Amino acid sequence: MARTLITSAIPYINGIKHLGNLVGSQLPADLHARFLRLSGHEVMFICATDEHGTPAELAALEAGEPVAQYCARMHKVQRELAKGFRLSFDYFGRSSSARNRDLTQHFAGRLADNGHLYEVTEQQIYSRHEQRFLPDRYVTGECPNCGYERARGDQCENCTKQLDPSDLINPRSQISGSSDLEMRRTKHLYLRQSKFIDRLDSWIDSQSDWPTLTVSIAKKWLHDGGGLQDRGITRDLVWGVPVQRGRQSWPGMEDKVFYVWFDAPIEYIAATAEWADANDRPDADWLRWWKTDEGAKDVRYVQFMGKDNVPFHTLSFPVTIMGSGEQWKLVDFIKSFNFLNYEGGQFSTSQKRGIFMDQALDTLPSDYWRWWLLSHAPEYSDSEFTWSSFVDGVNSDLANVLGNFISRVCRFCVRRFGSRVPEQGNWTDIEHDFTNRIQAHINDLASLMYAMEVRKSAQQLRKTWALGNEYIQLTAPWAAIRSDQERAATIISYALNLASIFSTISSPFIPDASARLRRSLHLENTPSWPTSIPDALRQLQPGAELSDPGVLFAKLTEKQCDQWKREFAGTR
RNA sequence: GGGCCUGUAGCUCAACGGUCAGAGCAGAGCGCUCAUAACGCUUUGGUUGGGGGUUCGAAUCCCUCCAGGCCUACCA
């Protein structure tokens, strides 16, 4: 059996994610995981919260909570929202877990043993008032270049000049406003990424099928300027994985933690271990997904992420893996996404602009969002959410094409055949023709789904749904039943079987509606992807009960659309 | 500043060197009345951002200009 390991970029802990975040990794990853499971693949689908780093500390501070407590609370919130959107993770872990601590320290130890780490003593801004070191961007002051007063320590937003915090005139802490700052010496560990340029280069070159976006970002980092630079992997923070060399302490590195981008991707591995722990399974059960020398040779590993995450997944994390000298699985395919915009601007977490996951679920069931977002996924360029487009898409695709097909067939059956699947007689040329067309459509759909062509898959699925209405229109059972009861029975049975097929092939996009439809057809909710459509069209037993599923998707009104436009116009 | 990406019908997007540049939505006409006033059929919309070049042939390759987006390594 084919095995696929799927990871979605892990969402940061400091708040509720917006729909742009959702469509950029977790949702398409879920689509792929659901499709592969339907197709009989063994799937391990992993996600987690990314909990370390300065923004988490600051968010906790703002919330007036200890950071560990804040993260635990926000993890639960994000986990519940993921459930609300029906994201079918096998495990939703935490980068603050003991498993990730141990693995992160293990990797650091291996890298050190293999000579890939070195110590650098450098000057860093320290705030005496807050008793903490400040990351460059948390220092603000006057730009020496253009005089802009709120320039950040890493770059001036006004003139875009790259800065060093020591360049700033009248520097102060962005966090407290305090100007009681000084330069302090501090020692950090650097990862020799530069040593891996050639290896990374040939590895990336060997990936002939990666998306342009993924490859071009990786290549730019690899070769621009002086080429890939070494990167500091430790920070002077409290909240994070304590710096250790495996199980050993690291002299001179006490009170330091690993950089969040060092431990975050390791959490993909750690979360799989957390999955094993949570299910009382031995280590071998998670290692067989990750170690090629412990059973993972046949695993295909696919990552989903937004384009901002690409450098860490194509370069830094692979260096961690390669540098360990151990047989950890490298990624086989990276599916990266552009950004989703909102009503002519950007979705923004910091400005709280757009629609956030909790608000979305309070407004409409998850299937509505899943369908629109996936059918408009920003695959090849940024794409745009507007309420009008959302309402049009939902009404046209879900209510009119799919929902109405289900409704007209089921209700006809309930009224004319007493809520039982009628006998399916011989097919005419019409049925033979439609069966061929349906088969071709579903074959194409399967190819697109396997290739992770998200928008095209949605388009193809919609085309397949439309065949249902075309069939009903052409065969006109309401006319047939007046003169030929048996013919009408055949038509309705054929259409009901088609509805059953739809419930299966649509389930990766709209799992709830699919399950509801299966309940009305009294089918078990463990479908598998149909390979022989002629057989699938004779699945339902004549005489089997069925019930009216009701309205699967309510049409959205212009009034609602206007209201939402107003409601979500400002910031939350 | 440098790099990458995008610009195609009113809207959202396909086509990535080769039959009249396609699809959905919106618009128009016809049909149907089982159904969520839904559905089906037909149909109107494009000098492919501007200009130049390469080629037998360009939306597609090259140059240039214009517009938008993203990244630029201590936010994640």
Side-chain angles (χ1 to χ4, degrees), chain A residues 506-523:
Chain A
S506 309
S507 63
F509 283 91
I510 45 172
D512 285 354
S514 291
R516 183 165 153 196
L517 175 54
R518 295 187 76 77
R519 280 194 300 276
S520 348
L521 296 174
H522 294 240
L523 295 165

Side-chain angles (χ1 to χ4, degrees), chain A residues 407-421:
Chain A
S407 183
R408 67 201 297 201
V409 172
C410 289
R411 289 194 178 179
F412 192 93
C413 181
V414 167
R415 279 181 33 208
R416 300 306 192 102
F417 294 99
S419 298
R420 299 208 171 256
V421 177

Side-chain angles (χ1 to χ4, degrees), chain A residues 192-206 210 214-230 310-312 314-316 318-319 322:
Chain A
R192 287 188 209 277
Q193 301 192 128
S194 54
K195 280 266 166 67
F196 288 82
I197 291 178
D198 291 343
R199 234 176 120 179
L200 289 168
D201 209 20
S202 55
W203 174 62
I204 290 167
D205 285 341
S206 70
W210 283 13
T214 306
V215 173
S216 62
I217 293 174
K219 285 284 184 175
K220 145 114 173 117
W221 279 59
L222 213 42
H223 298 302
D224 253 39
L228 184 63
Q229 301 294 302
D230 295 344
V310 167
F312 303 98
T314 50
L315 307 169
S316 318
V319 166
M322 290 171 177

